[in-house]
Amino acid sequence: MVLSLGIGNGNQSAMQRLLLASTHPLLLPTPLSAFSCRQIRRVLPQSRTAKPPSFSVCNCSSNSSTFKVKTSSELRNTKASSSTDSQPDPKLTALRRLFSNPGIAIDAYIIPSHDAHQSEFIAECYMRRAYISGFTGSAGTAVVIKDKAALWTDGRYFLQAEKQLTSSWILMRAGNPGVPTTSQWLNDVLPPGGRVGIDPQFLFTSDAAEELKQVISYNNHELVYLYNSNLVDEIWKDNRPQPPNKPVRVHDLKYAGLDVSSKLSNLRTELAGAGSSAIVISMLDEIAWLLNLRGSDIPHSPVVYAYLIVEIDGAKLFIDDSKVTEEVSDHLKKAGVELRPYSSIISEIESLAAQGAALWLDTSSVNAAIVNAYKAACDRYGQNHEKKHKTRTQGFDGSNEQLNGPTTLHRCSPVSLAKAIKNEQELEGMKSCHLRDAAAICQFWDWLETEISNNRTLTEVDVSDKLLQFRSKQVGFLDTSFDTISGSGPNGAIIHYRPEPESCSIVDANKLFLLDSGAQYVDGTTDITRTVHFGEPTSREKECFTRVLQGHIALDQLVFPENTPGFVMDAFARSSLWKVGLDYRHGTGHGVGAALNVHEGPQSISYRYGNLTPLVNGMIVSNEPGYYEDHAFGIRIENLLYVRSAETPNRFGGIEYLGFEKLTYVPIQIKLLDLSLLSAAEIDWLNNYHSQVWEKVSRLLDGSARQWLWDNTRPIMR
């Protein structure tokens, strides 16, 4: 599944990163001491194409703005908006009425995509931005002022946003030339002295809130923290879904590879080395990994809503106790983890300040409410200005002075890298589940090709549902790892397309079909994309597909020295496309969790050079170059890889060299190749890959599916 990476330059602020899109958390742990949290925290999408948008422009403000865009309805290549579309949006009208209420008095309100834990996927009850705007993509930020409403999203969702937004909204294509950031737009459209409201309790990290406050202050605007209520919730009212309450489960040690006590001990060693007495962990996948727990609070992500405080001599998990089974309670008690109500996190933070704690806070992931509560408590319990509150931000390898009274240590969470580097049992689980997943996918393709050849009419949703049926029969299957992207023809060009029953297309045998899907198994997480044609592809489609495959092969075969960050590798995947002036609007690779989130950090492969995290032995990344022609077709080829040591005849500088090993074993359609573009070495790569696919997967198949695999793994004879 594509994760867009890289809006703007490497100096992009945390506030811009938060407001422009919701992506996976990129957290940098202690061993990578040379890099700052701000450099690698989140990386977002940017169009690499130099040409400007093809649509005409108009003012997005009443004054003479330098930023000119068109509303979403004007961008559509369809007939004029319906009379219904031109009516005032009742949700926006209701929201704006609240702007003038006592205790609020704001001129603008910002609605990000996140929950309180900065999750990429969130529970339905927290989908505030989707509710207010109608745009359902996972990445985006809505900003509502008294006479306008704008939504920012990245290149994966431009076409989807055009379809879903009404004429009441301005679509901001983040990263395109001439498109302002949210703060730039607010400074442009609001008269000086405006009041901009946010919900710091849930939706903004501390870093993002502080940077937003600073940027809008250039035009004398004030950032207003609305602690007492979320304005979207006020108008959502009884229609808002209930919070999830399904039980938590223990992640078996044979899959986790390391027990909770050992993980906590390693973390406490990090705390002691940094001179810290406690840490707040709010990222849900970090909590799940550290405590060997899994949940189902969020679709596709096996996590549970919780906070965790780890101290030198104890740990507290803040969670709705109705989700905690007796088995989970015993599991946590054995590791010395106490249970506390989810809602009591703020009071516990204040208690830590009263005890004089040296609290480790990752302000790029912890929400502003927690950070501000600790700051305020430090001020209350300190004895003088020097002892009230002193923030320590030395480098990871720097020493920290001893201070009396409560202090804070602002560093990235040390849990992220430990989670990203898979141990042997985690890798074994990933290998095993990928083979079972491959068997299900082969059964699916055999079924689909048979149906299409028999002229059966199938929708994109029919196809997606059938794939789920095949996967659900596999041992250990739990859920999909994201909404399946099943796109026929032009829908394949919508990078994160999600077919809906009432509006999806028929799978057309004469058009390209893109299928990006994944699954959660008890022992691992999968993510795979294949693009196929059921008829005769055009020469244009074959050339584009072949160039995408060439980029995929180049990255797969790469050997690189240790300490190499992912942005160095990105160009290898794009080079063949660049040669003919083509490119794609998303990152090439993202990290993947082991029976956890399908998107994880800190590693990535992207042209955004701000993420300096090196790829390390044991990390898992996707390899998914693509190409998309708007309103025509989309192409993507995705395998998952894990980083391993590479055998090289030399070791220049005495350092280790690394390479990749594949986890994904599913055939790549040969019919779509222009063999004249492929080198002998590239053909050898594909033949070797298909030989491995047959060897590893055929034993899991029988009947027509096994025959399909045989037919689609035969070597190319040039």
Side-chain angles (χ1 to χ4, degrees):
M1 180 189 184
V2 166
L3 176 69
S4 267
L5 303 170
I7 284 182
N9 57 38
N11 298 318
Q12 186 184 35
S13 70
M15 179 271 295
Q16 289 171 316
R17 293 192 295 270
L18 172 68
L19 297 182
L20 287 174
S22 306
T23 58
H24 71 145
L26 298 183
L27 311 180
L28 185 60
T30 298
L32 305 178
S33 58
F35 315 128
S36 70
C37 296
R38 189 168 299 173
Q39 283 177 305
I40 56 89
R41 184 65 199 174
R42 289 186 185 273
V43 285
L44 305 177
Q46 178 186 27
S47 169
R48 296 286 294 182
T49 55
K51 64 181 182 179
S54 59
F55 50 88
S56 58
V57 297
C58 69
N59 261 325
C60 66
S61 69
S62 56
N63 53 17
S64 56
S65 168
T66 57
F67 303 116
K68 303 174 185 294
V69 295
K70 272 202 161 189
T71 62
S72 58
S73 61
E74 293 172 303
L75 289 170
R76 298 177 188 144
N77 293 320
T78 59
K79 61 183 181 180
S81 299
S82 66
S83 58
T84 301
D85 194 37
S86 62
Q87 295 298 315
D89 187 313
K91 294 176 185 176
L92 289 176
T93 300
L95 182 66
R96 287 168 176 144
R97 287 197 194 103
L98 300 177
F99 284 12
S100 58
N101 282 4
I104 297 178
I106 58 174
D107 302 292
Y109 193 60
I110 301 176
I111 309 146
S113 300
H114 305 294
D115 56 21
H117 305 267
Q118 305 305 298
S119 306
E120 177 187 11
F121 302 126
I122 60 178
E124 189 178 2
C125 60
Y126 300 128
M127 295 180 181
R128 299 177 175 97
R129 190 227 61 226
Y131 171 76
I132 196 68
S133 69
F135 168 65
T136 60
S138 67
T141 297
V143 180
V144 179
I145 63 175
K146 292 180 178 178
D147 60 347
K148 297 180 180 67
L151 181 130
W152 281 254
T153 192
D154 61 60
R156 297 169 295 169
Y157 295 107
F158 290 166
L159 297 180
Q160 179 179 342
E162 287 178 28
K163 289 184 175 182
Q164 292 183 329
L165 294 177
T166 71
S167 59
S168 297
W169 289 86
I170 300 168
L171 172 59
M172 297 291 192
R173 297 183 171 208
N176 274 4
V179 176
T181 65
T182 51
S183 55
Q184 288 171 334
W185 188 71
L186 285 168
N187 280 339
D188 185 61
V189 299
L190 291 180
R195 287 167 54 86
V196 178
I198 65 169
D199 179 351
Q201 185 80 16
F202 299 110
L203 304 183
F204 277 77
T205 67
S206 177
D207 281 355
E210 287 301 313
E211 292 181 18
L212 175 61
K213 179 179 180 180
Q214 179 181 356
V215 173
I216 65 173
S217 69
Y218 297 155
N219 207 31
N220 200 32
H221 299 317
E222 176 187 358
L223 185 64
V224 181
Y225 289 180
L226 300 175
Y227 283 101
N228 295 328
S229 66
N230 182 285
L231 300 192
V232 175
D233 293 351
E234 290 291 312
I235 65 170
W236 207 347
K237 295 182 179 178
D238 295 339
N239 292 322
R240 185 183 175 202
Q242 292 297 310
N245 61 355
K246 294 181 181 178
V248 186
R249 59 183 170 86
V250 176
H251 187 53
D252 199 297
L253 186 59
K254 66 182 178 182
Y255 305 129
L258 193 63
D259 62 80
V260 179
S261 295
S262 298
K263 291 180 180 181
L264 290 175
S265 177
N266 292 340
L267 177 57
R268 287 172 178 134
T269 299
E270 295 267 8
L271 296 181
S276 178
S277 62
I279 183 172
V280 177
I281 301 171
S282 65
M283 301 298 292
L284 303 183
D285 61 334
E286 292 186 17
I287 295 170
W289 179 85
L290 190 60
L291 298 182
N292 289 346
L293 295 177
R294 297 296 187 266
S296 53
D297 280 358
I298 296 177
H300 318 301
S301 300
V303 296
V304 59
Y305 279 110
Y307 293 98
L308 179 66
I309 294 178
V310 178
E311 301 177 73
I312 295 298
D313 58 354
K316 298 181 179 71
L317 179 66
F318 298 81
I319 186 173
D320 180 351
D321 61 6
S322 68
K323 302 175 185 178
V324 180
T325 64
E326 184 176 351
E327 180 189 15
V328 169
S329 180
D330 292 343
H331 168 79
L332 294 172
K333 189 178 299 182
K334 182 179 178 181
V337 180
E338 301 176 30
L339 295 176
R340 295 287 187 275
Y342 179 81
S343 59
S344 67
I345 181 66
I346 296 297
S347 61
E348 186 66 28
I349 291 295
E350 294 170 339
S351 177
L352 286 172
Q355 298 166 28
L359 185 61
W360 184 318
L361 284 172
D362 182 350
T363 53
S364 59
S365 65
V366 175
N367 63 54
I370 289 176
V371 175
N372 291 345
Y374 192 71
K375 287 179 180 179
C378 286
D379 289 340
R380 288 198 302 273
Y381 294 114
Q383 295 179 353
N384 56 52
H385 182 71
E386 287 295 319
K387 294 180 181 179
K388 276 183 179 180
H389 176 69
K390 186 167 184 178
T391 299
R392 300 182 296 188
T393 57
Q394 286 92 333
F396 285 133
D397 56 353
S399 60
N400 292 310
E401 57 187 305
Q402 296 297 314
L403 298 171
N404 295 323
T407 60
T408 58
L409 180 65
H410 289 180
R411 293 186 183 176
C412 291
S413 168
V415 179
S416 184
L417 186 66
K419 174 172 58 65
I421 300 174
K422 293 357 182 219
N423 58 47
E424 290 185 11
Q425 287 86 350
E426 288 174 321
L427 282 176
E428 282 304 311
M430 290 292 280
K431 292 175 184 177
S432 178
C433 77
H434 271 80
L435 294 182
R436 301 196 307 275
D437 199 60
I441 293 171
C442 290
Q443 291 168 340
F444 162 80
W445 283 121
D446 172 47
W447 167 83
L448 181 57
E449 288 188 5
T450 301
E451 295 295 294
I452 295 295
S453 66
N454 291 332
N455 297 316
R456 171 83 182 277
T457 299
L458 296 168
T459 69
E460 296 161 330
V461 169
D462 292 334
V463 167
S464 177
D465 290 346
K466 190 66 177 183
L467 175 57
L468 177 59
Q469 288 181 29
F470 282 113
R471 274 196 168 117
S472 64
K473 297 175 183 177
Q474 292 297 321
V475 174
F477 175 83
L478 298 171
D479 191 6
T480 53
S481 56
F482 55 93
D483 286 323
T484 296
I485 300 168
S486 170
S488 178
N491 290 337
I494 304 174
I495 298 172
H496 268 197
Y497 174 69
R498 178 184 176 183
E500 300 288 352
E502 65 277 4
S503 60
C504 68
S505 297
I506 301 296
V507 176
D508 191 331
N510 297 311
K511 295 178 181 178
L512 284 172
F513 177 66
L514 186 152
L515 187 73
D516 187 348
S517 67
Q520 294 287 1
Y521 294 91
V522 69
D523 51 348
T525 304
T526 70
D527 183 2
I528 174 176
T529 308
R530 290 294 183 265
T531 306
V532 302
H533 201 295
F534 302 107
E536 290 300 322
T538 66
S539 59
R540 170 70 171 177
E541 291 168 339
K542 292 174 73 171
E543 178 185 359
C544 293
F545 183 90
T546 304
R547 292 189 179 279
V548 170
L549 178 61
Q550 287 175 311
H552 181 95
I553 293 172
L555 184 59
D556 179 271
Q557 293 184 314
L558 196 62
V559 175
F560 51 94
E562 61 180 326
N563 297 320
T564 301
F567 79 85
V568 174
M569 307 171 193
D570 183 77
F572 289 88
R574 300 179 191 269
S575 178
S576 184
L577 289 166
W578 284 352
K579 288 176 182 177
V580 291
L582 300 179
D583 206 345
Y584 49 94
R585 295 188 185 106
H586 57 73
T588 299
H590 57 82
V592 179
L596 263 177
N597 291 354
V598 74
H599 290 158
E600 76 167 14
Q603 74 275 20
S604 69
I605 299 174
S606 165
Y607 48 79
R608 184 179 182 271
Y609 53 83
N611 186 357
L612 300 178
T613 308
L615 297 193
V616 178
N617 205 330
M619 283 182 172
I620 294 174
V621 293
S622 64
N623 174 8
E624 50 182 315
Y627 175 68
Y628 313 88
E629 289 197 357
D630 289 355
H631 312 293
F633 62 82
I635 295 168
R636 188 159 64 251
I637 303 170
E638 177 186 16
N639 284 350
L640 296 192
L641 313 171
Y642 67 90
V643 182
R644 57 165 178 80
S645 297
E647 295 296 327
T648 56
N650 305 291
R651 291 206 170 206
F652 181 80
I655 63 174
E656 183 180 21
Y657 282 75
L658 303 170
F660 296 114
E661 188 69 39
K662 286 175 278 291
L663 288 169
T664 308
Y665 290 97
V666 173
I668 295 167
Q669 191 177 59
I670 294 173
K671 178 170 63 174
L672 270 168
L673 293 173
D674 181 344
L675 295 180
S676 68
L677 296 175
L678 291 175
S679 68
E682 289 167 335
I683 291 177
D684 286 344
W685 180 94
L686 187 58
N687 284 339
N688 289 336
Y689 176 62
H690 280 161
S691 176
Q692 293 179 64
V693 171
W694 171 255
E695 179 184 346
K696 292 176 180 293
V697 183
S698 61
R699 59 185 174 83
L700 303 177
L701 297 171
D702 55 22
S704 63
R706 196 171 192 270
Q707 184 62 47
W708 179 91
L709 183 64
W710 172 262
D711 294 340
N712 283 274
T713 54
R714 295 307 84 217
I716 298 171
M717 307 302 293
R718 187 169 184 178

